[in-house]
Amino acid sequence: MGIQDIIEGKKQWRAHMARVKALPPDYRIVYKEIQKYLFKVGPIDLFDGSLLTGIVDFFEEGVAANRGVLELIGNDVAAFCDDLIKDSRTYADIYQESISGESGTAEK
């Protein structure tokens, strides 16, 4: 990864966060919770940009339709996130596999 890639990545991230800041306050709060959840246990390929960008697109459509954020995602942010990443390999999966592998060798 060269310096130009880093600069371009920062530009894209700043543009993304500008879109988030333009959302109404309730949407921003929920986005931050989703982001925090996904950064903690999310998919390995989270940083390719499509998932978080897709959430912002979805939220912008909700704002345009004059719908509340909880109407879009429901009352359980974690359940919404889990549904988004249900078919993706996560860091939690890798951790669980490493524990399973360690316990399997310790029993032998």
Side-chain angles (χ1 to χ4, degrees):
M1 175 181 279
I3 190 80
Q4 287 302 104
D5 295 331
I6 293 169
I7 292 170
E8 186 59 33
K10 282 188 174 194
K11 285 181 184 178
Q12 290 174 357
W13 182 252
R14 286 184 183 131
H16 173 80
M17 291 310 296
R19 289 177 63 201
V20 171
K21 288 179 184 176
L23 293 169
D26 56 337
Y27 277 84
R28 282 195 313 266
I29 291 167
V30 171
Y31 176 85
K32 292 288 186 181
E33 290 302 311
I34 290 171
Q35 183 184 46
K36 187 182 341 176
Y37 185 87
L38 292 177
F39 282 178
K40 186 173 183 178
V41 298
I44 295 168
D45 57 354
L46 178 65
F47 295 104
D48 75 359
S50 62
L51 181 60
L52 293 175
T53 300
I55 292 169
V56 175
D57 293 341
F58 180 58
F59 281 7
E60 288 172 339
E61 291 171 11
V63 170
N66 204 27
R67 297 181 65 195
V69 67
L70 295 181
E71 288 179 68
L72 297 177
I73 70 160
N75 291 325
D76 190 344
V77 174
F80 175 77
C81 293
D82 287 341
D83 193 43
L84 285 176
I85 62 172
K86 66 183 175 200
D87 296 327
S88 301
R89 186 167 161 83
T90 66
Y91 290 108
D93 294 334
I94 292 171
Y95 178 72
Q96 188 62 40
E97 290 166 6
S98 72
I99 291 174
S100 297
E102 290 175 9
S103 65
T105 57
E107 293 175 9
K108 291 182 181 180

XYZ file of all heavy atoms in Angstrom:
850
model
N 0.849 -1.176 0.000
C 0.000 0.000 0.000
C 0.891 1.234 0.000
O 1.695 1.435 0.894
C -0.912 -0.032 1.226
C -1.744 1.220 1.365
S -2.800 1.242 2.810
C -4.146 0.263 2.239
N 0.736 2.031 -1.019
C 1.534 3.235 -1.135
C 0.884 4.431 -0.468
O -0.256 4.382 -0.001
N 1.615 5.509 -0.442
C 1.131 6.737 0.185
C -0.125 7.261 -0.519
O -1.038 7.756 0.125
C 2.242 7.809 0.250
C 1.813 9.000 1.113
C 2.596 8.309 -1.118
C 1.952 8.767 2.555
N -0.184 7.113 -1.841
C -1.367 7.568 -2.588
C -2.605 6.772 -2.178
O -3.693 7.340 -2.077
C -1.133 7.443 -4.095
C -0.180 8.478 -4.651
C -0.645 9.900 -4.385
O -0.122 10.579 -3.508
N -1.635 10.332 -5.122
N -2.438 5.479 -1.936
C -3.557 4.647 -1.488
C -4.065 5.105 -0.121
O -5.269 5.149 0.125
C -3.152 3.178 -1.415
C -2.820 2.598 -2.778
O -3.383 3.073 -3.783
O -1.996 1.666 -2.827
N -3.138 5.428 0.750
C -3.503 5.897 2.086
C -4.250 7.225 1.991
O -5.294 7.414 2.628
C -2.252 6.033 2.978
C -1.657 4.642 3.238
C -2.587 6.732 4.292
C -0.292 4.659 3.887
N -3.736 8.138 1.187
C -4.379 9.442 1.010
C -5.778 9.271 0.424
O -6.742 9.879 0.900
C -3.508 10.366 0.133
C -2.232 10.740 0.887
C -4.286 11.609 -0.290
C -1.186 11.440 0.039
N -5.901 8.436 -0.594
C -7.202 8.203 -1.220
C -8.177 7.566 -0.224
O -9.340 7.939 -0.165
C -7.057 7.318 -2.459
C -8.332 7.144 -3.227
C -8.942 8.431 -3.738
O -8.201 9.377 -4.070
O -10.184 8.503 -3.802
N -7.691 6.633 0.569
C -8.528 6.005 1.587
C -9.037 7.007 2.605
O -10.207 6.968 3.003
N -8.167 7.914 3.010
C -8.581 8.951 3.962
C -9.615 9.886 3.344
O -10.577 10.277 4.003
C -7.376 9.759 4.449
C -6.568 9.043 5.481
C -5.514 9.952 6.068
C -4.820 9.256 7.209
N -4.030 10.161 8.008
N -9.439 10.228 2.083
C -10.415 11.083 1.401
C -11.773 10.404 1.339
O -12.804 11.031 1.594
C -9.944 11.415 -0.023
C -8.844 12.432 -0.093
C -8.472 12.694 -1.549
C -7.296 13.630 -1.662
N -6.898 13.838 -3.068
N -11.773 9.128 1.004
C -13.030 8.380 0.923
C -13.700 8.282 2.291
O -14.914 8.433 2.405
C -12.787 6.992 0.343
C -12.432 6.999 -1.117
C -12.054 5.611 -1.623
O -12.000 4.642 -0.877
N -11.768 5.535 -2.922
N -12.902 8.023 3.326
C -13.456 7.919 4.670
C -14.036 9.259 5.114
O -15.132 9.302 5.699
C -12.401 7.431 5.655
C -12.952 7.267 7.037
C -12.708 8.038 8.116
C -13.883 6.260 7.467
N -13.414 7.581 9.202
C -14.147 6.498 8.828
C -14.511 5.199 6.826
C -15.016 5.701 9.580
C -15.388 4.405 7.573
C -15.627 4.657 8.925
N -13.342 10.350 4.844
C -13.863 11.676 5.218
C -15.156 11.993 4.479
O -16.091 12.544 5.061
C -12.812 12.752 4.952
C -11.689 12.726 5.956
C -10.709 13.863 5.737
N -9.627 13.754 6.677
C -8.343 13.818 6.362
N -7.981 14.012 5.104
N -7.420 13.707 7.274
N -15.234 11.637 3.206
C -16.463 11.857 2.439
C -17.593 11.011 3.016
O -18.737 11.471 3.133
C -16.232 11.529 0.965
N -17.272 9.787 3.380
C -18.268 8.899 3.987
C -18.783 9.501 5.296
O -19.998 9.572 5.527
C -17.635 7.522 4.227
C -18.506 6.585 4.990
N -19.537 5.885 4.399
C -18.528 6.245 6.302
C -20.144 5.146 5.315
N -19.545 5.350 6.471
N -17.881 9.944 6.151
C -18.279 10.507 7.438
C -19.027 11.831 7.269
O -19.893 12.149 8.088
C -17.063 10.674 8.353
C -16.476 9.343 8.822
S -17.686 8.177 9.514
C -18.241 9.071 10.954
N -18.757 12.577 6.212
C -19.520 13.794 5.937
C -20.976 13.440 5.633
O -21.897 14.157 6.050
C -18.896 14.571 4.780
N -21.179 12.354 4.918
C -22.540 11.886 4.643
C -23.238 11.487 5.940
O -24.419 11.771 6.135
C -22.529 10.696 3.683
C -22.146 11.055 2.272
C -22.076 9.834 1.370
N -23.384 9.184 1.247
C -23.532 7.921 0.875
N -22.498 7.167 0.590
N -24.747 7.400 0.788
N -22.511 10.825 6.834
C -23.081 10.424 8.119
C -23.468 11.666 8.917
O -24.559 11.731 9.493
C -22.094 9.543 8.915
C -22.589 9.305 10.334
C -21.852 8.221 8.201
N -22.595 12.668 8.943
C -22.870 13.890 9.703
C -24.067 14.656 9.151
O -24.699 15.417 9.876
C -21.632 14.788 9.730
C -20.540 14.238 10.607
C -19.313 15.121 10.592
C -18.209 14.473 11.409
N -16.973 15.233 11.354
N -24.400 14.450 7.892
C -25.539 15.126 7.281
C -26.871 14.452 7.647
O -27.932 15.031 7.401
C -25.375 15.166 5.762
N -26.811 13.273 8.238
C -28.030 12.570 8.643
C -28.641 13.250 9.875
O -27.934 13.891 10.651
C -27.714 11.111 8.979
C -27.277 10.211 7.838
C -26.744 8.882 8.385
C -28.421 9.973 6.864
N -29.951 13.070 10.092
C -30.574 13.579 11.325
C -29.943 12.932 12.561
O -29.369 11.835 12.470
C -32.040 13.160 11.180
C -32.243 12.930 9.728
C -30.927 12.459 9.192
N -30.060 13.584 13.712
C -29.391 13.086 14.929
C -29.708 11.636 15.294
O -28.798 10.892 15.663
C -29.889 14.038 16.017
C -30.232 15.292 15.292
C -30.726 14.865 13.940
N -30.979 11.215 15.201
C -31.307 9.839 15.580
C -30.636 8.833 14.649
O -30.162 7.781 15.080
C -32.819 9.616 15.655
C -33.559 9.962 14.377
O -33.048 10.763 13.569
O -34.675 9.433 14.180
N -30.549 9.159 13.378
C -29.865 8.288 12.419
C -28.364 8.229 12.717
O -27.750 7.163 12.624
C -30.081 8.783 10.990
C -31.380 8.352 10.363
C -32.550 9.062 10.581
C -31.438 7.239 9.529
C -33.737 8.680 9.999
C -32.621 6.841 8.936
C -33.774 7.564 9.170
O -34.943 7.167 8.592
N -27.776 9.382 13.064
C -26.341 9.403 13.385
C -26.042 8.540 14.599
O -25.056 7.802 14.614
C -25.864 10.838 13.628
C -25.641 11.625 12.383
C -24.841 12.891 12.630
N -25.287 13.685 13.765
C -26.139 14.704 13.693
N -26.649 15.061 12.529
N -26.478 15.368 14.775
N -26.885 8.627 15.614
C -26.674 7.837 16.830
C -26.709 6.347 16.496
O -25.831 5.581 16.907
C -27.725 8.192 17.901
C -27.472 9.611 18.424
C -27.713 7.181 19.045
C -28.619 10.182 19.242
N -27.713 5.929 15.743
C -27.836 4.518 15.388
C -26.685 4.096 14.491
O -26.125 3.007 14.660
C -29.213 4.235 14.739
C -29.265 2.827 14.166
C -30.324 4.443 15.754
N -26.286 4.952 13.546
C -25.146 4.614 12.680
C -23.901 4.370 13.529
O -23.165 3.409 13.299
C -24.875 5.710 11.645
C -23.653 5.390 10.826
C -23.747 4.574 9.704
C -22.386 5.829 11.211
C -22.621 4.226 8.983
C -21.257 5.485 10.493
C -21.381 4.691 9.380
O -20.254 4.333 8.677
N -23.647 5.237 14.496
C -22.452 5.086 15.345
C -22.500 3.769 16.115
O -21.468 3.101 16.274
C -22.322 6.261 16.323
C -22.000 7.577 15.661
C -20.591 7.603 15.173
C -20.253 8.995 14.650
N -18.916 9.084 14.133
N -23.676 3.381 16.588
C -23.809 2.107 17.296
C -23.565 0.929 16.352
O -22.914 -0.047 16.721
C -25.185 2.003 17.959
C -25.367 2.935 19.132
C -24.326 2.731 20.226
O -24.094 1.575 20.634
O -23.740 3.734 20.680
N -24.091 1.029 15.144
C -23.857 -0.019 14.142
C -22.368 -0.108 13.822
O -21.792 -1.195 13.788
C -24.674 0.253 12.863
C -26.161 0.032 13.132
C -24.189 -0.617 11.705
C -27.066 0.488 11.998
N -21.757 1.046 13.613
C -20.335 1.091 13.291
C -19.515 0.473 14.424
O -18.626 -0.352 14.180
C -19.920 2.539 13.061
C -18.489 2.715 12.640
C -18.126 4.187 12.523
O -18.448 4.984 13.407
N -17.493 4.548 11.434
N -19.823 0.838 15.664
C -19.098 0.306 16.816
C -19.247 -1.220 16.881
O -18.271 -1.939 17.093
C -19.634 0.937 18.105
C -18.866 0.581 19.328
C -19.399 1.142 20.640
C -20.317 2.302 20.566
N -20.854 2.710 21.878
N -20.458 -1.702 16.674
C -20.727 -3.141 16.712
C -19.952 -3.867 15.608
O -19.306 -4.881 15.855
C -22.232 -3.392 16.562
C -22.631 -4.836 16.710
C -22.903 -5.367 17.959
C -22.737 -5.667 15.602
C -23.271 -6.695 18.105
C -23.112 -6.993 15.739
C -23.369 -7.499 16.995
O -23.723 -8.817 17.132
N -20.023 -3.324 14.403
C -19.349 -3.987 13.279
C -17.834 -3.934 13.417
O -17.149 -4.880 13.025
C -19.801 -3.366 11.954
C -21.254 -3.631 11.572
C -21.610 -2.895 10.285
C -21.540 -5.117 11.442
N -17.301 -2.851 13.955
C -15.861 -2.779 14.153
C -15.406 -3.803 15.198
O -14.296 -4.303 15.131
C -15.431 -1.387 14.600
C -15.357 -0.370 13.500
C -15.016 0.940 13.784
C -15.634 -0.680 12.181
C -14.940 1.893 12.783
C -15.572 0.263 11.172
C -15.213 1.553 11.484
N -16.274 -4.115 16.138
C -15.907 -5.053 17.194
C -15.977 -6.506 16.735
O -15.056 -7.270 16.969
C -16.826 -4.839 18.394
C -16.454 -5.642 19.599
C -17.297 -5.237 20.779
C -16.877 -6.000 22.012
N -17.651 -5.589 23.171
N -17.065 -6.891 16.079
C -17.239 -8.304 15.719
C -17.516 -8.507 14.243
O -17.811 -9.617 13.828
C -18.394 -8.955 16.515
C -18.122 -8.944 17.980
C -19.724 -8.307 16.194
N -17.411 -7.469 13.478
C -17.862 -7.487 12.097
C -17.060 -8.339 11.146
O -16.099 -9.007 11.518
N -17.485 -8.294 9.914
C -16.846 -9.108 8.880
C -15.419 -8.658 8.601
O -15.077 -7.488 8.762
C -17.737 -8.895 7.661
C -18.423 -7.603 7.910
C -18.556 -7.476 9.397
N -14.626 -9.609 8.184
C -13.223 -9.346 7.869
C -13.097 -8.319 6.748
O -12.223 -7.467 6.771
C -12.511 -10.667 7.490
C -12.495 -11.588 8.700
C -11.114 -10.417 6.961
C -12.089 -12.998 8.392
N -14.005 -8.372 5.785
C -13.940 -7.457 4.645
C -14.738 -6.171 4.857
O -15.153 -5.522 3.912
C -14.389 -8.166 3.372
C -15.790 -8.735 3.477
O -16.380 -8.689 4.580
O -16.296 -9.234 2.458
N -14.930 -5.771 6.112
C -15.690 -4.567 6.440
C -15.111 -3.328 5.773
O -15.840 -2.452 5.326
C -15.727 -4.367 7.957
C -16.442 -3.114 8.466
C -17.930 -3.185 8.126
C -16.249 -2.978 9.961
N -13.808 -3.271 5.682
C -13.172 -2.051 5.201
C -13.100 -1.938 3.687
O -12.492 -1.013 3.175
C -11.792 -1.891 5.841
C -11.902 -1.692 7.321
C -11.616 -2.724 8.193
C -12.349 -0.491 7.837
C -11.750 -2.548 9.563
C -12.484 -0.307 9.200
C -12.177 -1.341 10.066
N -13.748 -2.856 2.972
C -13.822 -2.659 1.524
C -14.789 -1.528 1.198
O -14.830 -1.036 0.085
C -14.185 -3.954 0.793
C -15.645 -4.349 0.931
O -16.414 -3.660 1.609
O -16.020 -5.387 0.346
N -15.568 -1.118 2.201
C -16.396 0.072 2.065
C -17.839 -0.163 1.683
O -18.673 0.697 1.897
N -18.180 -1.302 1.139
C -19.533 -1.469 0.620
C -20.585 -1.606 1.722
O -21.697 -1.098 1.569
C -19.597 -2.654 -0.334
O -19.265 -3.841 0.343
N -20.278 -2.253 2.824
C -21.271 -2.450 3.876
C -21.645 -1.130 4.542
O -22.825 -0.773 4.636
C -20.774 -3.453 4.920
C -21.737 -3.758 6.066
C -23.049 -4.334 5.531
C -21.100 -4.720 7.045
N -20.654 -0.388 5.004
C -20.944 0.877 5.675
C -21.561 1.892 4.718
O -22.477 2.621 5.094
C -19.676 1.443 6.324
C -19.128 0.621 7.493
C -17.813 1.207 7.980
C -20.130 0.535 8.628
N -21.093 1.910 3.489
C -21.669 2.804 2.487
C -23.116 2.420 2.208
O -23.984 3.291 2.079
C -20.844 2.764 1.188
O -19.509 3.186 1.496
C -21.430 3.675 0.128
N -23.381 1.136 2.149
C -24.743 0.661 1.929
C -25.680 1.060 3.057
O -26.848 1.396 2.816
N -25.176 1.040 4.287
C -25.989 1.465 5.431
C -26.322 2.944 5.313
O -27.466 3.353 5.535
C -25.267 1.147 6.752
C -25.190 -0.367 6.952
C -25.976 1.810 7.928
C -24.280 -0.807 8.062
N -25.351 3.763 4.942
C -25.612 5.198 4.774
C -26.615 5.416 3.642
O -27.541 6.226 3.781
C -24.307 5.992 4.538
C -24.605 7.451 4.250
C -23.389 5.880 5.751
N -26.463 4.700 2.547
C -27.436 4.804 1.447
C -28.839 4.464 1.950
O -29.806 5.189 1.668
C -27.082 3.843 0.305
C -25.802 4.194 -0.418
O -25.342 5.359 -0.319
O -25.248 3.306 -1.105
N -28.953 3.371 2.685
C -30.221 2.924 3.242
C -30.817 3.990 4.165
O -32.017 4.299 4.104
C -29.986 1.604 3.985
C -31.191 0.987 4.619
C -32.298 0.650 3.864
C -31.197 0.694 5.972
C -33.411 0.046 4.447
C -32.288 0.088 6.569
C -33.401 -0.233 5.812
N -29.979 4.569 5.013
C -30.437 5.610 5.924
C -30.866 6.869 5.179
O -31.872 7.489 5.528
C -29.352 5.937 6.946
C -29.260 4.946 8.081
C -29.999 3.776 8.097
C -28.413 5.190 9.142
C -29.909 2.872 9.154
C -28.319 4.303 10.206
C -29.073 3.144 10.213
N -30.121 7.253 4.157
C -30.508 8.434 3.367
C -31.862 8.217 2.694
O -32.674 9.146 2.630
C -29.429 8.758 2.337
C -28.162 9.329 2.950
C -27.011 9.477 1.973
O -26.995 8.798 0.918
O -26.095 10.267 2.286
N -32.110 7.009 2.231
C -33.416 6.693 1.641
C -34.514 6.781 2.691
O -35.616 7.259 2.411
C -33.396 5.301 1.009
C -32.535 5.195 -0.227
C -32.352 3.755 -0.701
O -33.063 2.853 -0.198
O -31.487 3.543 -1.565
N -34.224 6.321 3.900
C -35.190 6.409 4.992
C -35.519 7.844 5.351
O -36.679 8.189 5.591
N -34.491 8.688 5.380
C -34.702 10.109 5.661
C -35.570 10.725 4.565
O -36.522 11.458 4.846
C -33.354 10.863 5.781
C -33.563 12.363 5.833
C -32.585 10.381 7.006
N -35.255 10.416 3.310
C -36.012 10.965 2.182
C -37.476 10.518 2.223
O -38.368 11.266 1.809
C -35.371 10.548 0.861
N -37.722 9.314 2.736
C -39.087 8.790 2.837
C -39.767 9.241 4.130
O -40.887 8.829 4.415
C -39.069 7.266 2.757
N -39.063 10.064 4.919
C -39.597 10.605 6.173
C -39.953 9.504 7.174
O -40.977 9.562 7.836
C -40.808 11.507 5.899
C -41.011 12.512 7.010
O -40.070 12.883 7.694
N -42.245 12.948 7.185
N -39.088 8.503 7.244
C -39.280 7.391 8.173
C -38.268 7.495 9.303
O -37.147 7.950 9.104
C -39.115 6.052 7.453
C -40.180 5.859 6.376
C -40.074 4.563 5.673
N -40.331 3.465 6.619
C -40.029 2.199 6.354
N -39.463 1.879 5.217
N -40.290 1.259 7.242
N -38.657 7.056 10.478
C -37.745 7.020 11.609
C -36.742 5.894 11.450
O -37.022 4.878 10.806
N -35.594 6.047 12.042
C -34.535 5.047 11.896
C -34.954 3.692 12.468
O -34.639 2.646 11.902
C -33.201 5.543 12.503
C -33.274 5.674 14.010
C -32.048 4.643 12.104
N -35.703 3.703 13.572
C -36.122 2.436 14.158
C -37.194 1.751 13.326
O -37.351 0.532 13.398
C -36.593 2.638 15.598
C -35.498 3.099 16.566
C -36.049 3.243 17.973
C -34.294 2.176 16.546
N -37.918 2.505 12.506
C -38.837 1.898 11.547
C -38.070 1.076 10.518
O -38.561 0.071 10.014
C -39.644 2.959 10.799
C -40.703 3.661 11.599
C -41.416 4.693 10.748
O -42.133 4.297 9.809
O -41.242 5.893 11.027
N -36.862 1.535 10.195
C -36.039 0.859 9.187
C -35.355 -0.387 9.732
O -35.315 -1.415 9.065
C -34.973 1.802 8.640
C -35.437 3.040 7.898
C -34.239 3.892 7.504
C -36.248 2.666 6.683
N -34.777 -0.268 10.918
C -33.925 -1.355 11.416
C -34.542 -2.168 12.542
O -34.044 -3.233 12.862
C -32.550 -0.835 11.866
C -32.664 -0.004 13.138
C -31.861 -0.063 10.761
C -31.367 0.122 13.882
N -35.596 -1.668 13.169
C -36.178 -2.325 14.332
C -35.542 -1.797 15.607
O -34.678 -0.914 15.572
N -35.947 -2.341 16.731
C -35.475 -1.848 18.030
C -34.146 -2.439 18.476
O -33.545 -1.951 19.420
C -36.530 -2.127 19.105
C -37.769 -1.286 18.904
O -37.688 -0.142 18.472
N -38.924 -1.854 19.213
N -33.690 -3.492 17.826
C -32.476 -4.190 18.255
C -31.359 -3.979 17.221
O -31.332 -4.642 16.183
C -32.784 -5.671 18.433
C -31.656 -6.437 19.102
O -30.517 -5.921 19.162
O -31.923 -7.563 19.563
N -30.456 -3.064 17.538
C -29.361 -2.747 16.612
C -28.474 -3.964 16.383
O -28.072 -4.245 15.253
C -28.531 -1.552 17.140
C -27.309 -1.310 16.268
C -29.382 -0.294 17.204
N -28.177 -4.702 17.436
C -27.304 -5.880 17.302
C -27.934 -6.923 16.383
O -27.245 -7.513 15.541
C -27.002 -6.472 18.671
N -29.231 -7.144 16.526
C -29.908 -8.118 15.661
C -29.871 -7.661 14.207
O -29.674 -8.474 13.300
C -31.354 -8.323 16.114
N -30.042 -6.370 13.979
C -29.950 -5.818 12.627
C -28.559 -6.080 12.047
O -28.422 -6.539 10.914
C -30.256 -4.318 12.657
C -30.079 -3.622 11.337
C -31.037 -3.745 10.342
C -28.958 -2.840 11.095
C -30.874 -3.096 9.120
C -28.783 -2.199 9.881
C -29.756 -2.326 8.893
N -27.530 -5.806 12.840
C -26.148 -6.020 12.395
C -25.871 -7.498 12.136
O -25.250 -7.852 11.128
C -25.163 -5.489 13.435
S -25.175 -3.715 13.632
N -26.322 -8.341 13.047
C -26.111 -9.781 12.876
C -26.748 -10.277 11.586
O -26.176 -11.115 10.884
C -26.671 -10.558 14.065
C -25.835 -10.401 15.321
O -24.651 -10.012 15.214
O -26.369 -10.669 16.415
N -27.918 -9.753 11.264
C -28.583 -10.143 10.020
C -27.785 -9.669 8.801
O -27.696 -10.375 7.799
C -30.003 -9.577 9.984
C -30.846 -10.202 8.891
O -30.779 -11.437 8.720
O -31.564 -9.456 8.200
N -27.181 -8.484 8.903
C -26.370 -7.963 7.795
C -25.151 -8.833 7.504
O -24.756 -8.995 6.354
C -25.883 -6.545 8.099
C -26.879 -5.415 7.994
C -26.215 -4.106 8.430
C -27.415 -5.279 6.584
N -24.550 -9.362 8.547
C -23.281 -10.076 8.383
C -23.421 -11.580 8.548
O -22.413 -12.289 8.660
C -22.208 -9.536 9.357
C -22.616 -9.749 10.809
C -21.908 -8.084 9.060
C -21.531 -9.417 11.813
N -24.651 -12.098 8.523
C -24.870 -13.517 8.817
C -24.117 -14.463 7.890
O -23.753 -15.556 8.292
C -26.359 -13.836 8.807
C -27.017 -13.708 7.466
C -28.499 -13.974 7.558
C -29.116 -13.705 6.196
N -30.525 -13.476 6.286
N -23.847 -14.072 6.675
C -23.147 -14.945 5.733
C -21.684 -14.563 5.546
O -21.022 -15.063 4.634
C -23.857 -14.920 4.372
C -25.267 -15.482 4.444
O -25.485 -16.409 5.255
O -26.138 -14.987 3.715
N -21.183 -13.687 6.399
C -19.801 -13.213 6.276
C -18.929 -13.822 7.367
O -19.367 -14.046 8.490
C -19.753 -11.686 6.418
O -20.543 -11.067 5.452
N -17.692 -14.061 7.020
C -16.711 -14.531 8.003
C -16.315 -13.334 8.868
O -16.032 -12.261 8.369
C -15.496 -15.088 7.269
C -14.472 -15.731 8.139
C -13.504 -16.512 7.248
N -12.266 -16.789 7.925
C -12.090 -17.819 8.759
N -13.078 -18.643 8.988
N -10.933 -18.016 9.348
N -16.333 -13.539 10.189
C -16.064 -12.443 11.111
C -14.814 -12.709 11.936
O -14.320 -13.836 12.008
C -17.244 -12.234 12.074
O -17.361 -13.388 12.912
C -18.549 -11.980 11.337
N -14.342 -11.659 12.601
C -13.219 -11.815 13.514
C -13.613 -12.717 14.683
O -12.789 -13.465 15.204
C -12.735 -10.458 14.019
C -12.055 -9.667 12.941
C -12.661 -8.549 12.374
C -10.814 -10.039 12.459
C -12.049 -7.833 11.359
C -10.186 -9.336 11.455
C -10.805 -8.229 10.909
O -10.198 -7.534 9.907
N -14.877 -12.676 15.071
C -15.359 -13.566 16.129
C -15.248 -15.031 15.693
O -14.900 -15.896 16.502
C -16.796 -13.214 16.498
N -15.527 -15.300 14.422
C -15.374 -16.664 13.897
C -13.922 -17.120 13.984
O -13.635 -18.257 14.386
C -15.826 -16.750 12.434
C -17.309 -16.518 12.246
O -18.087 -16.768 13.184
O -17.683 -16.075 11.140
N -13.022 -16.257 13.592
C -11.594 -16.587 13.631
C -11.152 -16.864 15.066
O -10.443 -17.835 15.339
C -10.750 -15.460 13.012
C -11.028 -15.375 11.511
C -9.263 -15.670 13.276
C -10.410 -14.174 10.842
N -11.608 -16.026 15.990
C -11.269 -16.218 17.397
C -11.806 -17.549 17.904
O -11.093 -18.311 18.563
C -11.805 -15.053 18.232
C -11.525 -15.200 19.696
C -10.231 -15.043 20.194
C -12.534 -15.512 20.592
C -9.954 -15.196 21.535
C -12.273 -15.665 21.938
C -10.981 -15.502 22.407
O -10.712 -15.655 23.727
N -13.072 -17.840 17.582
C -13.678 -19.093 18.021
C -12.923 -20.295 17.460
O -12.697 -21.280 18.155
C -15.145 -19.154 17.599
C -15.890 -20.329 18.175
C -15.947 -20.307 19.686
O -16.125 -19.264 20.293
N -15.775 -21.454 20.304
N -12.521 -20.208 16.198
C -11.754 -21.294 15.583
C -10.406 -21.471 16.270
O -9.941 -22.597 16.462
C -11.552 -21.015 14.094
C -12.823 -21.125 13.287
C -12.703 -20.526 11.895
O -11.592 -20.105 11.498
O -13.734 -20.465 11.212
N -9.776 -20.360 16.657
C -8.477 -20.467 17.327
C -8.621 -21.108 18.700
O -7.775 -21.892 19.122
C -7.804 -19.100 17.442
O -8.446 -18.291 18.410
N -9.703 -20.821 19.392
C -9.950 -21.435 20.702
C -10.241 -22.921 20.527
O -9.719 -23.750 21.254
C -11.128 -20.746 21.427
C -10.724 -19.343 21.844
C -11.570 -21.548 22.636
C -11.851 -18.533 22.423
N -11.063 -23.249 19.556
C -11.403 -24.644 19.294
C -10.161 -25.441 18.924
O -9.984 -26.571 19.369
C -12.424 -24.747 18.163
O -13.618 -24.112 18.525
N -9.303 -24.849 18.130
C -8.066 -25.512 17.728
C -7.142 -25.726 18.903
O -6.523 -26.783 19.035
N -7.048 -24.750 19.793
C -6.197 -24.883 20.961
C -6.724 -25.922 21.928
O -5.976 -26.741 22.431
C -6.089 -23.536 21.687
C -5.300 -22.518 20.932
C -5.326 -21.153 21.621
O -5.809 -21.039 22.736
O -4.817 -20.209 20.999
N -8.040 -25.921 22.156
C -8.589 -26.897 23.102
C -8.506 -28.309 22.543
O -8.350 -29.268 23.276
C -10.028 -26.551 23.471
O -10.872 -26.656 22.345
N -8.612 -28.429 21.219
C -8.510 -29.738 20.596
C -7.122 -30.339 20.743
O -6.968 -31.528 20.950
N -6.073 -29.508 20.668
C -4.716 -30.028 20.813
C -4.363 -30.258 22.265
O -3.558 -31.120 22.581
C -3.698 -29.057 20.200
O -3.831 -27.784 20.824
C -3.902 -28.951 18.702
N -4.990 -29.535 23.189
C -4.667 -29.701 24.603
C -5.238 -31.003 25.153
O -4.706 -31.575 26.092
C -5.217 -28.524 25.397
N -6.333 -31.475 24.540
C -6.947 -32.706 25.038
C -6.159 -33.942 24.634
O -6.290 -34.978 25.240
C -8.383 -32.812 24.505
C -9.287 -31.754 25.057
C -10.668 -31.789 24.423
O -10.958 -32.763 23.681
O -11.450 -30.868 24.660
N -5.362 -33.860 23.585
C -4.654 -35.033 23.076
C -3.467 -35.381 23.903
O -2.814 -34.977 24.617
C -4.224 -34.814 21.635
C -5.405 -34.791 20.724
C -4.959 -34.632 19.295
C -6.180 -34.593 18.392
N -5.835 -34.442 17.025
